[in-house]
Amino acid sequence: MSEELFLTIDVGTGSVRAALVDRRGKVLAISLREHEQIVPQFGWSEQRPADWWSGVVAAIRDVLAKEPDACGRISAVAACGQMHGTVLVDDRGNLARDTAPLWNDKRTVAHVKAFEKAHRPETYLADSANPAAPAWPGFKLQWLRDMDPGAWRRAAAVLMPKDWINLKLTGEIAMDRTEGGASFLMDPRTGEWSDRMIGLLGLDKAKLAPLRNPVEILGHVNAAAARETGLREGTPVLVGGGDYPMALLGSGVCRPGIGSEVMGTSAIITAIAEKPLLDAAVSNVGTVEGNWGAFMLLESGGDAMRWARRAFHEKQVSYEEIVAKAAEAPAGSDRLFFMPYLAGERLGDHRNARAQFFGIGAAHGLAHMHRAVLEGVAFAVKRHIDILDRISGTPLQRVIASGGGAKTKLWMKIKASVYGIPILVPAEAECGIVGCAAMAAAATGLYSTVEDAAETYVTYAEEIMPDPAWAEVYRPMQAVFEKLYFHSQSLYDDLDRLPS
């Protein structure tokens, strides 16, 4: 008899992907369909949920064709998706609004500022698990209520992107607690909608989808979805989770003491904790296994190298050449610092922070400046690690790295030496898909817990250890970086007041 398979779906910002994964966690086939972001005006970002569904249909049909009798072998479907994208559906399950504002949409800034003016973080963090920020669906719903009242009136339920796909597959409406915990509307103590936060934002609780656990069976593929996708009618579909919590699971980050760093345009460092870390500088997301991921985001992670390529070379050299040049400079770049706040900060009182070089001398050259950029990002992330360690009381013992930045060996060695702990790189880069498969394996009884499934499915291609000599250079530099960080803050508002 042919071996059972899991079908995973990932609704990303740039594409939707479907993959077939076997019972050992091996990705057998994958297919994607790209979709565009719509930018009606500066700072806005939205997409059409209908495009997600058409992409999912095409991607599923494509992967089913790649494996013999795949349709009959799938034992469960598990989906994850970009978080915070706010989808409105009516009482018949149809879209109440053709587009959904995405995680990176900033149209809610005025609502966030009004909330921050009226409420200090310490008065609501225990009820929301998070400080106020434009990404949270709670503020997106305020905007939709005020600026698109017709769609708000038609809306019977609020869903996240993967929930919309699940609705199309099963006809069932639900939201999982990883998404709910990052909505600004879920009480982290109960795992249910927070009456207090809903009241503070003036929203309608009746429009919020029921909250369920990610590993539960939501429903089964219905006849209409079976005809469109080629899936077998009656195939179980899980509730699923947000793409970031799923990637944490699929990279083996599911126990306290283990951290995750995702290095793309930004750099996100996450520490697993049993409860959310309540601090105005820290955000929290529920994890699949029932813990919390406390995370801090540096807006310019990989983007710092992209800036250096443009500013110093007008995009005429490769990233590999920039890294090779940086390798010519010694550890510490001869006491040259780079503050990597090219796009400000996500949270706190200094969202208008700026980048700078400090300590330039006549002997410094291009190699020093390139290496200082790599080291500056590492110092900034180390600052975040120290904050998470202090609040949690459980220092990180190792970091699992993923994203494009994890492929740059020099950067990984610099980071391990700055952090003072090993960095591991997963063998399978598709961490979200592996996480979905681990969840499906637990839901179907193949493993007793998602943690057990993840420990079996996740292997590591390499382990980067700190360089002792580099670590000795970086340790005192970290203290100077912290001083630069705090002393610079008094100048940002002065800089903004200068005539443009």
Side-chain angles (χ1 to χ4, degrees), residues 85-96:
T86 309
V87 183
L88 302 182
V89 298
D90 64 21
D91 56 6
R92 301 180 66 181
N94 297 319
L95 291 170

Side-chain angles (χ1 to χ4, degrees), residues 17-83:
R17 293 177 297 165
L20 294 174
V21 185
D22 69 17
R23 289 163 60 91
R24 293 174 295 280
K26 181 181 179 182
V27 179
L28 301 179
I30 187 169
S31 178
L32 67 83
R33 292 295 185 276
E34 294 183 347
H35 46 241
E36 297 295 326
Q37 290 187 58
I38 303 165
V39 183
Q41 63 187 67
F42 178 77
W44 291 27
S45 176
E46 54 189 30
Q47 287 176 336
R48 297 183 183 90
D51 291 344
W52 303 334
W53 175 243
S54 62
V56 165
V57 168
I60 289 176
R61 285 196 167 274
D62 194 32
V63 293
L64 291 180
K66 294 179 179 180
E67 278 291 313
D69 189 32
C71 173
R73 296 163 59 193
I74 294 171
S75 59
V77 178
C80 66
Q82 54 173 305
M83 302 184 74

